[in-house]
Amino acid sequence: MTAPGRTEVLQGRVVTGPPVAAPSRGALTLRLLLTLALLAAWAHASTVARERPLADLVDALGAGRVSAVVLGRPESGFGEGYGTYRVEWSGPGGNGYATYRYEVRPSGRVTDEGQQVLDAVAASPSRVKVELRPGYTHAVGFQWYYPGVVGLLALGLLIAGPQPRLATKWAWFWVISAVPLLWFAFLLLEPAPVWRRSPVERPRRRLTGGWAFLLSLFLDPVSVSGAG
């Protein structure tokens, strides 16, 4: 067996350092629980409305992918000035919310972006249920983002846990920051795959933080465009 940090050739194979032991029962349980929690959190997040541009709602209405709209409207007696109101929607195209501007200028000219929504609802090829809420503004209060909460717990495991096998801790940090779904890969593979019951050899090389940072610069815009 090689000493840590040394590379030798054994039976025609290049081996770096001692093999990584299979996960203990406690570590295996923790990693599987975090994986299941992350799956549940992402499933929950997919049903929660997320902020989008108002144009996304207009486009979705035109495509018939909205079934319900909650539209904040100015209260009766609204005078000169402006207000910001909230609009929410749901349907096959997903759930979302946005804000729009309502303004009455001194000249009496009215700018009403909410009317664009109402016009798009009227022109939608699908039936849309509309609820008007006077005075419903953009204030939404505090909301939990459960994937982030579970991600913080997994980050604690990355920081305090054993050295990973396939990449350094900094490398995992950078690539996961760019593509959060890679938390699943980390939890299932590091430092040894959850399905292994025997030690696993270390790779000859592993991804380092510097290369991972450069990789994250490419992965981040790809991840954002894919999510959109």
Side-chain angles (χ1 to χ4, degrees):
M1 181 178 296
T2 62
R6 293 182 55 191
T7 300
E8 296 181 2
V9 177
L10 299 178
Q11 298 178 352
R13 295 176 298 170
V14 177
V15 181
T16 302
V20 179
S24 65
R25 180 173 298 180
L28 178 63
T29 300
L30 176 60
R31 288 164 60 184
L32 289 177
L33 285 176
L34 284 174
T35 301
L36 293 175
L38 194 57
L39 280 170
W42 279 108
H44 175 266
S46 67
T47 65
V48 175
R50 61 188 181 92
E51 187 172 12
R52 300 180 182 179
L54 189 65
D56 284 7
L57 169 57
V58 175
D59 292 343
L61 285 167
R65 294 185 286 110
V66 176
S67 57
V69 171
V70 176
L71 183 66
R73 298 299 285 161
E75 296 180 295
S76 60
F78 186 95
E80 181 183 319
Y82 68 89
T84 302
Y85 297 91
R86 180 178 171 92
V87 55
E88 304 168 355
W89 66 93
S90 60
N95 304 336
Y97 69 90
T99 57
Y100 75 89
R101 184 182 179 92
Y102 182 93
E103 180 179 8
V104 180
R105 299 181 181 179
S107 62
R109 181 181 176 182
V110 177
T111 300
D112 183 6
E113 296 177 342
Q115 188 60 47
Q116 301 177 22
V117 176
L118 295 174
D119 292 342
V121 167
S124 177
S126 300
R127 184 177 180 179
V128 182
K129 178 182 178 181
V130 179
E131 178 186 350
L132 301 181
R133 293 186 182 178
Y136 191 38
T137 65
H138 63 283
V140 298
F142 178 79
Q143 290 182 328
W144 284 100
Y145 182 64
Y146 292 104
V149 175
V150 181
L152 286 176
L153 296 177
L155 180 62
L157 178 63
L158 172 62
I159 295 173
Q163 279 294 328
R165 176 177 55 93
L166 302 175
T168 65
K169 292 187 177 185
W170 271 112
W172 275 112
F173 173 80
W174 287 122
V175 295
I176 289 174
S177 297
V179 185
L181 284 175
L182 288 177
W183 272 124
F184 291 108
F186 171 76
L187 292 172
L188 294 175
L189 298 177
E190 293 286 21
V194 295
W195 56 85
R196 287 296 295 251
R197 294 298 177 265
S198 60
V200 58
E201 291 181 355
R202 299 178 185 271
R204 183 176 181 181
R205 296 179 179 177
R206 61 176 180 167
L207 184 64
T208 59
W211 285 109
F213 173 74
L214 295 176
L215 182 62
S216 70
L217 299 179
F218 167 77
L219 291 176
D220 187 70
V222 172
S223 174
V224 170
S225 62

